[in-house]
Amino acid sequence: MNAKDAARLLLEKDNILLLTHKNPDGDTIGSASALCAALRRRGKTVWLYPNRQASTKLARWCECYFAPDDFKPEYTVAVDVADEKLFALGFEGRADFCIDHHPTNTHYARRELILADRSSCGEIVLDVIKALCAKPNREEANLLYIALSTDTGCFQYSNVNARSFRAAAELAEAGAELQPLNLSFFRKVSDARIRLEGMLYNSMSFHNGGRVVVATVTREMMQAAGATEDDCDDLAGLPGRAESGELTLLIREQADGSSKVSVRSLPGISSSAVCAAFGGGGHAQAAGCTIAETPERAKEMLLAVVDEVLR
C-alpha cells in the first residue's frame, strides 16, 4: 500500500479513531493529530484516543482532538505504533489499519502502510495528507513539523536523509512556524530539567574503552530535581554527547521499580539487537525496552548483552 491507497481507504471509512502509543512522543502525537485534522477537512468524523500520558508540551497540540466519552468508532487506525502491546494506556481492542515507519513493526493490523526508510511517521502522514487534501494547512504543517523534528533530534540523528529535509521544506512552505516550534521543543527547558540533567551527567559511567556510555535516572533523582514527566523529553540523547560514545544507554527507574531503557548507537551498531534481548525493539540506531529489575541490576544485564552485540 502507498499513500494514495491509504487515502482512498480512509475516505471509504467514517467514525474513525486514531491510536497513539504509550509514553507518547512528538511523532505519534503530531502525526495522528495532523491526520485527524486533514480527515476532518474531508468531512470525516474522526478523533484521537485520549492519551493521558502526553506531556504538557504535547498535550496543548492534541487535546482538542481527543475523543469524547460517548464516541463509538467504526474504524481504528494506529499511527506510529510498532506493536499492539504499545497502544495508549487504557485502550482495549484491535487496529484495523496501521501507519508506521518502524522496521520492527509486528504487522498486527489488518491493513498497513509501513515505510521503514522514512525518518518519521510524520513524513508518511504528510504524503497521505497530500493525497487527501493536496497539501497540509498551517495547523497540520505545525503538527507534522513537530513529528518530523522530534523524531530526528532536530535533524541530527542518523535516520535523516535528503527526503527529511524536503519534507521540512514543504512544511515550511505550508506555514509551519519553525522558529517558535524549535525554541519550544529544542531550546527552552524548565529549571527542574536543568537540575535533572546535572544529576544525569553525574551518573554517567564509561565502559568498553569509552565506547559504551550508561546514564541512570532514579526516582530519587527526579524528586530531588523537582522534575516530572514533562521534564523528561529526549533524555535518551544526552549520554550520546560524550565524544567517545558509540552506544549509549539511558536507564530510568519506573514507579513500580522496573527500568525503562533507551538505547542509541552509531551506524554499524544495532540498538534494536540490544533491546530485542529484553523483548523490546525499535530502529537500528534508536530502540527501547523495559526490564523488570532495579536500575543497578538492569545495567549489569544490559552490559552483558552489549558485549555480545559489539562482538
Side-chain angles (χ1 to χ4, degrees):
M1 181 175 287
N2 58 35
K4 290 182 179 179
D5 297 329
R8 281 193 292 268
L9 173 65
L10 292 170
L11 289 174
E12 293 171 359
K13 309 298 180 181
D14 206 357
N15 295 313
I16 299 168
L17 182 67
L18 303 178
L19 301 176
T20 54
H21 61 68
K22 64 176 67 173
N23 300 311
D25 58 9
D27 195 17
T28 192
I29 292 293
S31 298
S33 298
L35 182 59
C36 185
L39 285 168
R40 288 181 178 183
R41 282 206 281 150
R42 291 301 306 266
K44 298 297 177 181
T45 299
V46 54
W47 297 93
L48 265 65
Y49 180 81
N51 193 329
R52 301 303 180 187
Q53 287 188 304
S55 68
T56 300
K57 189 176 291 186
L58 288 173
R60 65 176 290 264
W61 291 97
C62 65
E63 282 183 337
C64 61
Y65 300 108
F66 282 180
D69 292 339
D70 60 352
F71 177 61
K72 303 296 184 186
E74 297 173 4
Y75 198 72
T76 305
V77 180
V79 183
D80 193 48
V81 185
D83 190 304
E84 57 190 344
K85 294 183 294 186
L86 300 176
F87 289 153
L89 292 182
F91 178 78
E92 295 181 1
R94 292 194 60 187
D96 298 298
F97 183 43
C98 174
I99 302 174
D100 191 24
H101 71 125
H102 292 98
T104 55
N105 189 284
T106 57
H107 308 291
Y108 56 86
R110 296 180 176 91
R111 304 289 298 277
E112 61 185 31
L113 171 58
I114 299 175
L115 300 174
D117 62 336
R118 304 302 171 91
S119 65
S120 67
C121 197
E123 281 189 44
I124 305 172
V125 172
L126 172 59
D127 288 342
V128 176
I129 289 176
K130 286 158 64 177
L132 287 168
C133 306
K135 66 177 183 179
N137 63 21
R138 173 170 287 188
E139 170 76 0
E140 293 153 12
N142 278 332
L143 289 163
L144 290 176
Y145 184 75
I146 291 169
L148 173 62
S149 63
T150 55
D151 234 37
T152 59
C154 207
F155 307 96
Q156 296 181 78
Y157 297 160
S158 60
N159 59 347
V160 175
N161 53 37
R163 186 188 288 113
S164 311
F165 289 109
R166 284 195 292 269
E170 286 189 60
L171 297 174
E173 289 169 352
E177 300 163 284
L178 308 187
Q179 195 273 338
L181 288 171
N182 287 336
L183 190 67
S184 173
F185 282 91
F186 302 105
R187 292 289 302 277
K188 291 292 187 179
V189 296
S190 68
D191 294 353
R193 167 63 179 243
I194 291 173
R195 289 191 290 269
L196 184 62
E197 286 189 13
M199 296 178 191
L200 182 152
Y201 286 130
N202 250 349
S203 80
M204 282 170 46
S205 59
F206 297 80
H207 309 267
N208 300 77
R211 296 176 66 196
V212 178
V213 184
V214 184
T216 302
V217 174
T218 64
R219 288 177 291 167
E220 183 180 359
M221 290 164 63
M222 292 280 290
Q223 184 176 10
T228 68
E229 285 300 313
D230 287 350
D231 301 306
C232 294
D233 287 347
D234 199 32
L235 284 177
L238 299 183
R241 299 189 68 186
E243 187 175 29
S244 65
E246 298 177 17
L247 185 145
T248 64
L249 308 170
L250 177 71
I251 305 171
R252 283 192 58 199
E253 184 181 22
Q254 303 298 288
D256 63 0
S258 66
S259 298
K260 179 183 175 184
V261 181
S262 298
V263 184
R264 302 291 184 266
S265 59
L266 297 182
I269 302 175
S270 177
S271 293
S272 58
V274 175
C275 294
F278 303 98
H283 299 284
Q285 271 74 66
C289 62
T290 299
I291 301 175
E293 298 284 353
T294 65
E296 294 82 3
R297 176 59 182 147
K299 179 178 177 179
E300 295 174 5
M301 297 166 68
L302 284 159
L303 287 174
V305 171
V306 165
D307 283 343
E308 293 297 320
V309 170
L310 290 180
R311 278 198 291 269

